[in-house]
Amino acid sequence: MPIERSVLRARIENAAEYIGPLWPLQTFNAANPLVGFEDQSFDQAVQQARQLLGGRGYPHPSVFRQAWENDEIDPEILTRHLADHGITQRPEVLLDRMESDDRSEPAPPSDEPLDRVTVKWLSAFLDQGQAAWPMPKRSDGFYAAWRAVAPYDNAVPSITRTADLPDTLLEAFEEVLASYPEKRWESIFVHHLAALPGWTGFIKWRARRGNTEWQEAYPITLADYLAVRLILATHLDAAVTPDRAQDLPANGTDRPFLPQIWLRAWEKSYRDRLLDTLAQANKDPQASRDRSPNSARPDAQFAFCIDVRSEIIRRHIEDQGAYETHGYAGFFGVPMQHQPYGAETTVKSCPPIVDPKHRIIDRPADNTAEAVDTYGWWTALETGRRHLVKTLKSNVAAAFGFVEGSGGFFGGAMAARTLLPSALFRLGTRLTDWIPQPTAFTEPTVDRPSADDADWENGLPVGLSHEAKVLYAEAAFRLMGWTDRFAPLVIFTGHGTQTPNNPYKSSLDCGACSGNPGGPNARVLAAICNEDAVQNELREREIDIPDDTVFLAGQHNTTTDEITLFVDDRTPTVPSDALAQVKDDLKAAQAQATTERVRTMNATVDSGQPRAAVRETERRAADWAETRPEWGLAGNASFIIGPRRLTETVDLDGRAFLHSYDWATDEDGTALENIMTGPLVVGEWINTQYYFSTVDNAAYGSGSKVTQNVVGKVGIVQGNGGDLMTGLPLQSLQIDDEHPFHRPLRLLTIIHAPTERVDAVLDRHASLVQLLDHEWIHLTIMDPTQNNRFFHYEAGKWTAHTDASHASAEPALAARTS
Amino acid sequence: MSDPSTSEQTEHTLHPLKKIEIIVRGEKEPFVRDLLDESNISGYTIHHNVTGRGEHGFHEGRLLFNDRDSLVMFFAVGQEESIQTIVDGLTPLFEQSSGVMFVSDTSVVRLDKFLKED
């Protein structure tokens, strides 16, 4: 039966909608594992996903019990919700019932032998440099390479000769699908893709970005995967179309059930307490005036990423003196690929939903030859050492002698890493002080090279045109509503984590930079904003930057809360005393912020020691056995779009994304539109990833770090094989085996703007309406034209918020005491 | 100045062909590109950031920080069989994903531009 290639391709594309994309470890991106189900209501989506992927959609009853016992669920709200569905039993009785219902859920069936063989060949083919002996014939593509080696696979004895297998991909499909009508193909494909959603999610990612080095060298598509798997199924007597794949997963029922009601009650409890706190903080007009934009010029202003971790450090910086902070997406609005100094490859440094438009290369600045030489000498030494060690380790002849000869040295290093992580951290700090770092002697190629020297790669030009520079600078200030009142010092502060021996490092870096540190983007925006030509044009657009304002870039180390400023101390562009004061204050803020964070990490520190908490975080940053260097974005629950003055007097407990926005300077709503369609969508991806990783860590997370292994440098498996794990590890979500730190709540968005303004944005964006109507996020407006009253978006309508005075006497969010 | 004896008469005859216009979400751009690349048409045009109203509501095109949700429009011209191959690939896609395609009769002057050399 001949198969039309274009039809086959479309059926596979449709089937792949049910699989979330999985990025390789180096650029671990937060994404909703159920992104392909977002066109359905949350409830129907999780029911379908349960059928297909076997994952839980709502928190385990024990999680609800803990929330209930910790007073995180308001009894009145819960009772009201239950009553709306005709349920009058006591919450404790319902918790018991949920637990007994939960135990009776059947386990999903498994295709174990077929999975095992498929995974073996996938991990061999997709290896990205970990294997010393790679699979042969990979450059022919996955199907052809597998076809060549399949006769040697003892697990499939029925394949004895390559000639037994179909010559081409298309012939493979024709052979297997001959007896099925086209309308059945999709359900067959869905079943086999969903059997290994980790591997297929990774192939989906890699195949769609054909320009990656590995994909170009060793091409693989989902069609390759399906052809191999379907042929294997016929040889292993596994069902090509098992019963459960007779049809695509059925739509879920509309039956309200207990976990759904409890989750909504929990979310509303969080919402009402947060709104109550915001209302209290903003009811005193005098306090608002004191914090109005017309008060005295601050000494410095910082722009941080909207990341929930920024909320903590921002609070403590503001406490130190005349400092203001703003929130902006941590790629600082520059959609770029970044090539760090000395690196041969570039990394994407903008959100997963944005395509890079520029290539930025770090190159040595003028008069830095000495620093360049010193750095070059040290890195050449280190590269040579690594190369030698790798060669000796993987060489059959040398491996045994190498272990004998070097065992003492490596044993000592292992002991130091294990027993003296803090000392190693201090040694590392001293080394980086001593050896010049690239950030000190390089500058980003912000300018376009001359036309005859133009350097393009993957269709991306190096540097930015003048128009692009003005666009990104203006976008930054317009989106933040920051069009006047610039301090003498403005610091764009990206963020990155510090953690050794951690395959999940990129999950702790900046989500707006596709799992990379945001410092390079901050440097680009600072360089742009320091240009006279850009400032002149901004002035014409009524963004008046004073002549004495200097823009700097920095990076917030989210493990230790240290903020490094990218400034050449030998030739600082700001007065050295002002710079020294800022650095001192940042240290003080670090001490306070780490004290706050360490309390949540099961750590015991000597509170009598002034920098004990800093030391503890530094140990975590250096300890190769530390499974939880920091909490990442765990706890995230809300996304607040509005001026900082609304929130600066409250402690949001590191649970809120904060995007600065001023409705009064955004008359046509463009800024709000860009925030809602960009950063908010990324926030939803992050929030849903944390949600699903928490509610079902086996299906949507990645299990305990203790039993994880890296495979092929692309992903993580549990134990020695199986599917690639797709989400976050347990230690990033739970305090211990039984207590989640991350509370699985869907993202509550709060926008400080008139309802008409938000309506106008929603009218233009069906995709946002879909997220709201299907309850993937919740939305509340704080309307400044109606005395800051709150309105909730509910089923396409605005519902006025009723007073939250009935909320628990134990507010979840405390006012700031300082 | 060219030699008048070798120049041929410029042809102004119109040749009938089919035109296809396709509008999909940015996310589906790679799929449609692959489909067009593998079909027997010689080229196509892509408009990014297209704005318009569809079955599910309005889609504003000019998004600063989202290339996934913006709409993309393709158009291509070719012989009926080539356009039919593209239609065959898109028909199943639109069973699941939002998007539209329009096929219409069109005419071109320089036919050789639109016939792919095998």
Side-chain angles (χ1 to χ4, degrees):
Chain A
M1 179 191 70
I3 284 184
E4 195 68 52
R5 183 187 289 271
S6 55
V7 175
L8 179 71
R9 186 195 287 278
R11 293 290 172 201
I12 295 174
E13 178 81 12
N14 285 355
E17 281 287 308
Y18 294 99
I19 307 298
L22 176 64
W23 282 260
L25 275 177
Q26 297 80 357
T27 54
F28 185 88
N29 274 254
N32 183 359
L34 270 50
V35 67
F37 299 81
E38 280 181 357
D39 58 349
Q40 302 169 54
S41 75
F42 181 87
D43 186 50
Q44 289 188 341
V46 297
Q47 290 183 55
Q48 265 208 23
R50 170 119 200 156
Q51 261 178 286
L52 194 62
L53 306 168
R56 170 188 290 280
Y58 288 97
H60 191 274
S62 66
V63 175
F64 285 129
R65 188 183 290 281
Q66 286 170 40
W68 174 250
E69 288 171 356
N70 292 337
D71 295 328
E72 290 181 42
I73 301 174
D74 188 290
E76 270 193 51
I77 292 176
L78 178 64
T79 310
R80 204 166 54 236
H81 267 265
L82 290 168
D84 287 347
H85 292 96
I87 302 169
T88 53
Q89 285 147 302
R90 284 190 306 112
E92 287 79 4
V93 174
L94 296 172
L95 283 168
D96 291 343
R97 202 172 98 197
M98 273 196 283
E99 275 177 350
S100 68
D101 286 353
D102 201 76
R103 277 193 288 274
S104 59
E105 296 255 355
S110 165
D111 290 314
E112 209 177 319
L114 179 56
D115 286 349
R116 207 165 40 231
V117 179
T118 317
V119 163
K120 176 171 67 185
W121 291 114
L122 282 174
S123 48
F125 185 88
L126 289 166
D127 178 82
Q128 295 193 172
Q130 189 170 335
W133 292 351
M135 178 176 172
K137 294 190 179 288
R138 287 199 291 171
S139 52
D140 296 344
F142 181 54
Y143 179 74
W146 169 78
R147 184 172 175 270
V149 296
Y152 307 100
D153 187 351
N154 292 336
V156 198
S158 59
I159 302 176
T160 54
R161 295 180 311 156
T162 294
D164 293 343
L165 298 168
D167 277 349
T168 65
L169 203 64
L170 213 53
E171 285 170 20
F173 281 106
E174 282 168 358
E175 185 175 307
V176 180
L177 299 177
S179 53
Y180 300 98
E182 186 195 320
K183 65 177 184 178
R184 288 287 296 283
W185 296 357
E186 221 164 285
S187 60
I188 294 171
F189 297 160
V190 168
H191 166 71
H192 289 283
L193 292 173
L196 296 168
W199 285 106
T200 52
F202 177 68
I203 298 169
K204 181 174 170 177
W205 173 85
R206 188 162 128 164
R208 281 195 180 166
R209 280 153 189 79
N211 55 3
T212 61
E213 191 188 335
W214 290 98
Q215 177 68 0
E216 272 179 12
Y218 310 124
I220 182 170
T221 61
L222 288 174
D224 280 297
Y225 162 85
L226 285 167
V228 170
R229 185 167 167 108
L230 290 172
I231 293 284
L232 274 173
T234 58
H235 282 271
L236 291 170
D237 287 332
V240 167
T241 171
D243 290 345
R244 66 189 170 114
Q246 289 288 332
D247 293 297
L248 295 175
N251 281 343
T253 64
D254 290 329
R255 180 176 61 93
F257 68 121
L258 285 172
Q260 190 185 347
I261 299 168
W262 275 74
L263 177 65
R264 198 68 194 98
W266 191 2
E267 289 168 339
K268 282 196 173 170
S269 305
Y270 171 76
R271 180 193 75 184
D272 285 4
R273 287 171 193 183
L274 177 56
L275 298 184
D276 197 32
T277 308
L278 290 178
Q280 294 289 335
N282 289 283
K283 73 177 180 188
D284 178 0
Q286 182 59 41
S288 299
R289 265 197 301 280
D290 289 347
R291 305 193 304 271
S292 77
N294 299 323
S295 51
R297 189 185 187 195
D299 292 340
Q301 291 159 309
F302 294 78
F304 277 87
C305 180
I306 58 174
D307 192 286
V308 298
R309 289 166 287 185
S310 303
E311 190 269 327
I312 301 173
I313 190 76
R314 285 175 64 178
R315 242 188 295 128
H316 293 294
I317 290 174
E318 288 163 356
D319 283 351
Q320 304 306 316
Y323 298 125
E324 271 181 8
T325 69
H326 294 265
Y328 190 44
F331 74 116
F332 292 95
V334 186
M336 64 187 225
Q337 260 184 7
H338 178 234
Q339 186 170 345
Y341 178 69
E344 286 175 9
T345 53
T346 56
V347 290
K348 180 179 174 178
S349 200
C350 55
I353 58 171
V354 176
D355 298 328
K357 314 282 190 301
H358 314 274
R359 195 152 67 97
I360 303 290
I361 305 169
D362 288 347
R363 291 190 172 137
D366 294 338
N367 306 319
T368 56
E370 194 185 332
V372 172
D373 287 348
T374 312
Y375 177 80
W377 192 87
W378 280 102
T379 46
L381 190 71
E382 172 64 7
T383 310
R385 185 193 67 79
R386 278 174 192 267
H387 183 70
L388 181 68
V389 169
K390 190 172 179 194
T391 308
L392 290 172
K393 264 167 62 178
S394 54
N395 185 301
V396 176
F400 295 105
F402 172 69
V403 172
E404 290 282 328
S406 61
F409 173 77
F410 281 93
M414 189 192 283
R417 283 174 169 188
T418 310
L419 302 172
L420 304 165
S422 297
L424 274 187
F425 181 87
R426 288 193 290 277
L427 179 67
T429 309
R430 270 205 289 280
L431 275 178
T432 49
D433 287 347
W434 187 38
I435 304 169
Q437 293 302 296
T439 48
F441 62 77
T442 62
E443 56 190 16
T445 49
V446 170
D447 294 324
R448 282 269 170 86
S450 58
D452 53 340
D453 183 29
D455 188 3
W456 290 66
E457 188 178 279
N458 298 333
L460 293 181
V462 171
L464 295 91
S465 66
H466 173 70
E467 293 72 26
K469 290 178 189 175
V470 174
L471 171 72
Y472 298 138
E474 184 182 10
F477 296 120
R478 292 252 177 258
L479 261 66
M480 287 190 275
W482 178 8
T483 51
D484 57 4
R485 221 167 86 94
F486 289 88
L489 188 55
V490 174
I491 303 170
F492 298 123
T493 319
H495 64 93
T497 189
Q498 183 177 2
T499 165
N501 188 33
N502 186 352
Y504 278 95
K505 177 182 181 300
S506 67
S507 75
L508 301 173
D509 278 333
C510 181
C513 300
S514 289
N516 290 293
N521 294 62
R523 288 181 90 195
V524 171
L525 187 60
I528 292 172
C529 291
N530 280 326
E531 284 189 17
D532 289 340
V534 172
Q535 293 192 5
N536 289 340
E537 239 174 278
L538 290 179
R539 231 162 257 138
E540 284 173 23
R541 299 168 191 212
E542 298 179 340
I543 299 175
D544 195 359
I545 298 169
D547 290 338
D548 67 346
T549 293
V550 175
F551 293 88
L552 290 184
Q555 187 160 291
H556 172 207
N557 179 329
T558 48
T559 314
T560 65
D561 277 320
E562 181 185 19
I563 292 175
T564 307
L565 301 182
F566 301 142
V567 57
D568 188 344
D569 288 333
R570 292 161 302 175
T571 53
T573 48
V574 284
S576 51
D577 54 341
L579 196 59
Q581 183 64 51
V582 169
K583 286 184 173 179
D584 284 350
D585 289 337
L586 289 178
K587 276 203 157 191
Q590 178 193 15
Q592 291 181 6
T594 50
T595 303
E596 178 178 333
R597 291 196 306 110
V598 160
R599 276 201 293 266
T600 65
M601 292 198 284
N602 269 357
T604 315
V605 297
D606 181 355
S607 53
Q609 297 285 332
R611 294 187 72 78
V614 175
R615 297 275 172 268
E616 167 61 13
T617 58
E618 288 175 349
R619 179 196 65 73
R620 285 172 185 264
D623 191 343
W624 74 336
E626 177 56 60
T627 53
R628 186 184 301 121
E630 56 158 305
W631 275 121
L633 292 110
N636 75 81
S638 55
F639 193 115
I640 303 177
I641 301 170
R644 175 60 173 155
R645 66 173 183 279
L646 293 181
T647 53
E648 68 179 353
T649 59
V650 291
D651 175 352
L652 293 164
D653 199 21
R655 300 188 68 187
F657 294 92
L658 296 179
H659 199 304
S660 295
Y661 171 71
D662 186 351
W663 71 279
T665 61
D666 179 38
E667 284 171 18
D668 64 358
T670 305
L672 184 61
E673 179 175 47
N674 283 314
I675 295 169
M676 290 177 72
T677 53
L680 177 60
V681 173
V682 176
E684 187 258 342
W685 281 27
I686 293 171
N687 171 268
T688 44
Q689 180 170 70
Y690 274 83
Y691 175 93
F692 285 108
S693 288
T694 305
V695 299
D696 195 332
N697 197 252
Y700 302 123
S702 64
S704 171
K705 276 183 169 178
V706 177
T707 45
Q708 286 178 349
N709 277 304
V710 175
V711 57
K713 288 192 182 174
V714 298
I716 292 287
V717 292
Q718 275 291 347
N720 64 356
D723 195 17
L724 284 186
M725 306 304 282
T726 55
L728 297 158
L730 268 179
Q731 286 84 353
S732 290
L733 306 159
Q734 307 243 142
I735 295 167
D736 54 36
D737 286 348
E738 287 163 9
H739 298 89
F741 176 79
H742 178 72
R743 273 77 117 214
L745 305 177
R746 287 168 291 184
L747 193 65
L748 165 64
T749 311
I750 299 175
I751 302 177
H752 186 249
T755 44
E756 305 80 49
R757 174 88 42 95
V758 180
D759 269 334
V761 174
L762 294 179
D763 283 347
R764 294 197 293 271
H765 292 284
S767 55
L768 286 174
V769 174
Q770 177 180 288
L771 284 180
L772 290 166
D773 285 349
H774 292 169
E775 296 193 306
W776 292 92
I777 53 177
H778 303 300
L779 173 62
T780 293
I781 302 300
M782 188 176 188
D783 191 337
T785 61
Q786 298 191 57
N787 200 24
N788 280 344
R789 278 186 72 195
F790 297 114
F791 295 90
H792 308 303
Y793 181 96
E794 280 169 10
K797 296 197 185 85
W798 296 111
T799 310
H801 177 65
T802 47
D803 189 4
S805 56
H806 57 267
S808 159
E810 283 286 323
L813 299 152
R816 286 169 72 175
T817 50
S818 51
Chain B
M1 199 172 172
S2 61
D3 180 359
S5 65
T6 59
S7 70
E8 291 177 10
Q9 189 70 36
T10 310
E11 199 179 327
H12 291 286
T13 314
L14 288 173
H15 302 278
L17 281 177
K18 290 282 181 190
K19 178 171 75 172
I20 185 162
E21 291 154 289
I22 306 157
I23 302 170
V24 290
R25 280 178 71 193
E27 194 186 28
K28 293 292 174 200
E29 183 184 333
F31 173 82
V32 179
R33 277 170 85 141
D34 287 348
L35 188 62
L36 296 176
D37 286 339
E38 286 193 1
S39 70
N40 206 26
I41 54 163
S42 59
Y44 50 87
T45 302
I46 302 178
H47 289 301
H48 285 109
N49 298 333
V50 180
T51 297
R53 179 175 291 284
E55 184 191 356
H56 299 101
F58 201 84
H59 297 268
E60 176 62 58
R62 52 186 180 108
L63 301 180
L64 194 53
F65 298 142
N66 188 335
D67 295 308
R68 174 180 164 266
D69 285 334
S70 65
L71 297 179
V72 185
M73 179 173 177
F74 293 76
F75 68 88
V77 169
Q79 290 183 307
E80 187 159 357
E81 308 83 70
S82 313
I83 299 298
Q84 185 59 49
T85 310
I86 300 168
V87 171
D88 287 344
L90 289 173
T91 307
L93 185 82
F94 292 149
E95 286 175 17
Q96 176 148 333
S97 304
S98 56
V100 289
M101 62 178 160
F102 312 107
V103 178
S104 53
D105 293 321
T106 191
S107 302
V108 298
V109 174
R110 294 180 299 171
L111 186 61
D112 56 320
K113 282 264 177 197
F114 299 95
L115 299 181
K116 198 171 178 180
E117 289 176 21
D118 287 322

